[in-house]
Amino acid sequence: VVLAAPARQNLALLEELEENVRQAAVVTDTSSTKRAIVAAARNLPARFTFVGGHPLAGAAKGGIEHARPDLFRGRPWLLTPTGEAGGEAVEKLSAFVRALGGEPRIIDVDAHDRVLAFLSHLPQLTASALMQVVGDAAGESGLALAGRGLADTTRLASSPADIWRDIVATNADEIGPALDALIAV
């Protein structure tokens, strides 16, 4: 079972598994933060084995209409097994990831959220803040004059806001120090 929605939606879906999936299953997710969902997964019935997952691949546009067969090709797919959620479940998920072209990598849950705060969440928030400041100052007519440099620098700002609200809500304690480090420079 793959939960592939924004972080807080995946938390809600996790609660629905017991009534909707009757047989034993390996369960994973694709959320950009891991600690909240791994903690919530501890409450799953014993027939479920949860291993957190996070493909480090994506595209500017989501949805089935924008699906691409090469999305995961050569990209890391982080797996965060805990406790008894290793062994066979990790091997099954690793085979699944490889079949999609991804490269499975094991990482500790806490390390995942700390590292991604710097590698992903900080760049996103920085680009979004920059675009907000530039847009407010330049206005629509000024933005029409912008060159490729601004577009290249702020491309991330066009990402769906709901995904990023969930990420910030579930990783604020790691994003805060990342923002502090940026500000300190």
Side-chain angles (χ1 to χ4, degrees):
V1 176
V2 179
L3 306 177
R8 291 188 292 189
Q9 289 178 35
N10 279 342
L11 287 168
L13 290 169
L14 197 65
E15 293 177 9
E16 298 175 15
L17 282 180
E18 185 172 12
E19 66 185 64
N20 292 299
V21 180
R22 302 281 180 221
Q23 68 278 10
V26 174
V27 180
T28 190
D29 72 313
T30 61
S31 303
S32 297
T33 60
K34 294 277 75 80
R35 289 173 296 157
I37 196 156
V38 167
R42 291 186 183 110
N43 298 321
L44 286 172
R47 72 177 181 273
F48 297 121
T49 303
F50 184 84
V51 177
H54 181 196
L56 299 184
K61 296 183 180 183
I64 193 72
E65 64 276 9
H66 300 289
R68 310 183 348 224
D70 66 336
L71 182 63
F72 304 114
R73 189 169 301 133
R75 299 298 306 149
W77 192 308
L78 306 179
L79 299 174
T80 61
T82 59
E84 303 93 40
E88 187 179 340
V90 171
E91 285 307 314
K92 284 181 180 181
L93 284 174
S94 294
F96 172 72
V97 167
R98 283 188 206 97
L100 294 175
E103 297 178 8
R105 302 210 185 144
I106 305 297
I107 187 170
D108 174 76
V109 172
D110 293 324
H112 173 279
D113 285 1
R114 186 175 48 258
V115 169
L116 269 291
F118 283 92
L119 295 179
S120 175
H121 311 160
L122 178 63
Q124 173 66 44
L125 294 173
T126 303
S128 296
L130 176 61
M131 193 64 236
Q132 183 69 47
V133 169
V134 170
D136 288 349
E140 194 172 325
S141 61
L143 286 174
L145 303 173
R148 290 185 185 196
L150 181 64
D152 291 347
T153 304
T154 60
R155 177 188 59 81
L156 294 173
S158 65
S159 296
D162 62 332
I163 292 171
W164 289 99
R165 275 191 295 269
D166 281 13
I167 290 168
V168 171
T170 57
N171 204 29
D173 63 324
E174 293 292 354
I175 294 170
L179 287 167
D180 290 342
L182 177 64
I183 292 165
V185 174

